[in-house]
Amino acid sequence: MKRLPEIKTMTNSVQLKFAATFLVLIAVLAVFMNTYPTIAARDLVFSSKKASLQNQAGVMASALSAPEELTSDTVPAVMDQLDLRSLTRVIVTDEDARILYDNAQYDPGTGRYAMFSEIARALSGEIVCYSDYDGRAFMTREAMPIRSGGTTVGAVYLYEYDETQAQLIASIQNRLRSVSLIVSAAAIILMFIFSRALTKRITELAKATRIVSEGDYDHRIPVSGHDELSELGTEFNSLTARLKETEELRRRFVSDASHELKTPLASIRLLSDSIVNSENMDAETMRDFVNDIESEAERLQRTTEKLLSLSRIDSGASLTRERVDLRKVAEKTLRLLHPLAKENRVTIATELQKDCFVWGNEDLLYRVIFNLAENAVKYNMPGGTVDILLKSEEDEVILTVEDTGIGIPDEDLPHIFTRFYRVDKARSTDAGGSGLGLSIAHDAVKLHGGDIAVEKCAEGGTRFVVRLPACPATPDRKSTRL
């Protein structure tokens, strides 16, 4: 199958962002690995060298602070007793900054004046110490005053040029750089592998989404693993299955609705054509035809009204919701069904408790009671009975409609709330049934937060039980929109 440009563009974009983020992270880590250890080691060397030179300078200043005067003869004699091998240069001056001792190998400054700012600051009473690192060596300077009797009589200046420590840090830095390059290269390779695998799964999901959006609801994507993408794939397959089921229900609904509307329309057309094309039709025959047309028109109207009711429920159209006395609704319904019950020789027995209030839409609740009671009358036996019970129990209002009719086979019970489903199609058609009444009752009850159940009676017939949330007898809220 040819890859869609939209999917390819999206995949490349995701992979590019993932790779760029990962590369930035690798670069930051590499810089950190190559700078922080070096800086930490350098600071550690600085601290060590400052402490060492300060200690040595302190020893020298203490040794030179004897009562005798500092001269070019007495100072060298003292300095020769000290270990100066680790120091690159040692200078001792008098209080006027004149150099009394200098161990420089080339051009010592003995007898000249020291022009170092560190010595000038030391002669003023400060202890000066600082260290530099230029990548090749550590250069540390220390200057300390020599005191005798509370007076500054001279200064000691130490200078150390250390390449060994610098080479060690440079070696560590080179090794870190090599390790960083190796780790970065490995991380980049792994990043491309993982990003490729990740975006491949996203590509499959995007491709599957496009396929399903074009109407192929049988398409599924393979799911493996237990990560978020696997969970997303599972949800996608579940959603696709629900879409397929919904599409099948929609097609079946359209087909059944078309059939239900086509049948009375065809009958009306046939009867009207017979009247138009018959020149010698007697009045009685014409009256029968007109009565049949009226009957089919009423059937068409009933089916249309039921379809509109289902459409309103499905679309979630705004419905007025208020405090409804279910007993009054039931009494109104039974008055309308009395002629039908009398015609079918069915007795309706009622036991309607007072104060059975619910919060809902009166028209939909009327549909629930009417459809259940009408079915109980239509599909009953001559001389049968219909028992309608209404009671309030704790926080529920319970409506029970029980008949002594033909009953419902066990295999049909799970499907009776399915739209256009009829247990006995021939008898349902004769009775004017469309297979929509119980669907309307079921959806209306669910819309009110209730529950409806059906069961077979032991002595024959069917029992429907509707449970709805009760509403307090004293209203504390105004009408709302459902």
Side-chain angles (χ1 to χ4, degrees):
M1 183 177 181
K2 186 177 180 181
R3 180 172 296 181
L4 299 172
E6 295 85 354
I7 297 176
K8 184 176 181 181
T9 301
M10 185 195 71
T11 303
N12 288 341
S13 177
V14 171
Q15 187 172 5
L16 178 61
K17 292 178 180 179
F18 182 84
T21 302
F22 205 82
L23 288 174
V24 170
L25 179 61
I26 292 174
V28 171
L29 290 176
V31 171
F32 179 80
M33 288 179 61
N34 283 274
T35 55
Y36 178 76
T38 304
I39 294 174
R42 184 197 64 187
D43 292 343
L44 183 62
V45 172
F46 283 164
S47 176
S48 174
K49 288 189 172 299
K50 286 180 180 180
S52 176
L53 259 67
Q54 280 187 352
N55 184 49
Q56 290 179 286
V59 172
M60 293 179 190
S62 177
L64 294 171
S65 62
E68 59 267 17
E69 183 181 359
L70 296 178
T71 65
S72 57
D73 295 328
T74 59
V75 172
V78 175
M79 297 302 294
D80 289 341
Q81 305 299 318
L82 301 176
D83 185 6
L84 307 178
R85 289 176 298 177
S86 62
L87 299 173
T88 305
R89 189 174 186 181
V90 177
I91 297 176
V92 179
T93 69
D94 60 12
E95 58 184 353
D96 297 323
R98 186 165 56 89
I99 299 175
L100 304 176
Y101 175 83
D102 186 357
N103 70 339
Q105 186 176 0
Y106 302 102
D107 190 22
T110 304
R112 298 197 294 265
Y113 287 93
M115 306 304 294
F116 301 139
S117 61
E118 295 88 351
I119 293 178
R121 291 171 61 185
L123 291 174
S124 65
E126 295 183 42
I127 298 177
V128 182
C129 183
Y130 58 88
S131 185
D132 294 326
Y133 173 67
D134 62 359
R136 298 187 301 272
F138 282 95
M139 295 161 286
T140 309
R141 297 168 178 83
E142 173 77 24
M144 182 176 291
I146 302 173
R147 296 181 181 277
S148 178
T151 304
T152 302
V153 296
V156 176
Y157 172 81
L158 309 181
Y159 173 71
E160 182 186 63
Y161 185 86
D162 186 357
E163 293 182 333
T164 304
Q165 296 281 5
Q167 291 175 355
L168 179 61
I169 291 179
S171 175
I172 294 174
Q173 190 171 17
N174 290 334
R175 291 183 181 181
L176 286 175
R177 186 178 296 111
S178 300
V179 171
S180 299
L181 290 175
I182 295 173
V183 171
S184 298
I188 291 173
I189 294 173
L190 291 175
M191 178 270 296
F192 278 111
I193 294 175
F194 287 130
S195 65
R196 183 73 175 176
L198 175 66
T199 53
K200 180 181 179 182
R201 296 171 69 185
I202 296 177
T203 302
E204 292 175 353
L205 184 59
K207 186 190 300 181
T209 303
R210 178 58 60 87
I211 293 173
V212 172
S213 68
E214 292 176 352
D216 185 3
Y217 298 112
D218 291 321
H219 184 76
R220 299 291 185 275
I221 60 176
V223 178
S224 60
H226 304 282
D227 56 8
E228 290 81 358
L229 286 177
S230 300
E231 183 178 352
L232 182 61
T234 301
E235 290 298 326
F236 174 83
N237 290 338
S238 177
L239 175 62
T240 304
R242 292 196 296 271
L243 286 174
K244 180 181 179 182
E245 181 180 355
T246 302
E247 179 64 14
E248 290 176 351
L249 289 175
R250 185 191 67 81
R251 291 178 180 177
R252 190 183 311 126
F253 178 83
V254 172
S255 176
D256 292 340
S258 300
H259 176 75
E260 292 294 330
L261 296 176
K262 181 175 64 177
T263 301
L265 286 174
S267 300
I268 292 173
R269 181 176 181 180
L270 178 62
L271 291 168
S272 60
D273 286 346
S274 299
I275 294 174
V276 172
N277 295 326
S278 178
E279 298 179 357
N280 300 317
M281 181 179 293
D282 57 90
E284 184 176 354
T285 303
M286 183 175 293
R287 187 179 299 107
D288 291 339
F289 277 21
V290 172
N291 288 335
D292 291 340
I293 291 175
E294 181 182 6
S295 176
E296 293 297 330
E298 291 177 353
R299 178 183 170 189
L300 180 62
Q301 182 181 0
R302 288 196 301 272
T303 302
T304 304
E305 289 176 351
K306 291 179 179 179
L307 287 172
L308 289 175
S309 297
L310 285 172
S311 177
R312 291 180 64 193
I313 295 174
D314 290 342
S315 63
S318 181
L319 301 172
T320 302
R321 190 171 183 175
E322 57 190 358
R323 180 171 165 269
V324 179
D325 187 348
L326 215 57
R327 180 184 179 184
K328 291 183 178 180
V329 177
E331 290 173 345
K332 174 184 176 182
T333 305
L334 297 178
R335 284 196 299 270
L336 294 176
L337 287 175
H338 181 71
L340 179 63
K342 185 177 180 180
E343 180 183 346
N344 290 3
R345 292 182 292 164
V346 173
T347 302
I348 299 179
T350 61
E351 184 179 338
L352 307 178
Q353 181 179 317
K354 294 182 179 179
D355 297 330
C356 292
F357 294 96
V358 298
W359 192 260
N361 181 266
E362 184 173 347
D363 291 338
L364 288 182
L365 294 172
Y366 163 78
R367 281 287 179 188
V368 172
I369 301 175
F370 184 87
N371 290 344
L372 295 178
E374 183 186 35
N375 282 349
V377 172
K378 282 183 178 181
Y379 302 109
N380 214 317
M381 300 291 186
T385 60
V386 175
D387 294 321
I388 300 179
L389 308 177
L390 180 65
K391 63 179 180 178
S392 179
E393 190 174 281
E394 295 182 354
D395 57 349
E396 286 185 329
V397 173
I398 302 175
L399 171 70
T400 304
V401 180
E402 182 177 336
D403 63 66
T404 58
I406 58 177
I408 300 175
D410 293 336
E411 62 272 15
D412 293 314
L413 281 175
H415 308 290
I416 60 169
F417 295 120
T418 304
R419 298 177 184 183
F420 294 107
Y421 187 86
R422 291 181 295 213
V423 177
D424 186 340
K425 295 185 180 295
R427 181 165 182 179
S428 295
T429 304
D430 294 339
S434 61
L436 293 174
L438 291 180
S439 298
I440 294 174
H442 174 270
D443 293 352
V445 170
K446 293 297 183 182
L447 187 62
H448 285 79
D451 183 66
I452 182 170
V454 59
E455 57 186 18
K456 295 178 65 175
C457 299
E459 61 278 5
T462 308
R463 180 187 300 111
F464 287 88
V465 180
V466 176
R467 297 177 180 272
L468 294 168
C471 178
T474 302
D476 56 353
R477 47 185 172 176
K478 299 180 179 180
S479 298
T480 58
R481 305 299 288 180
L482 181 63

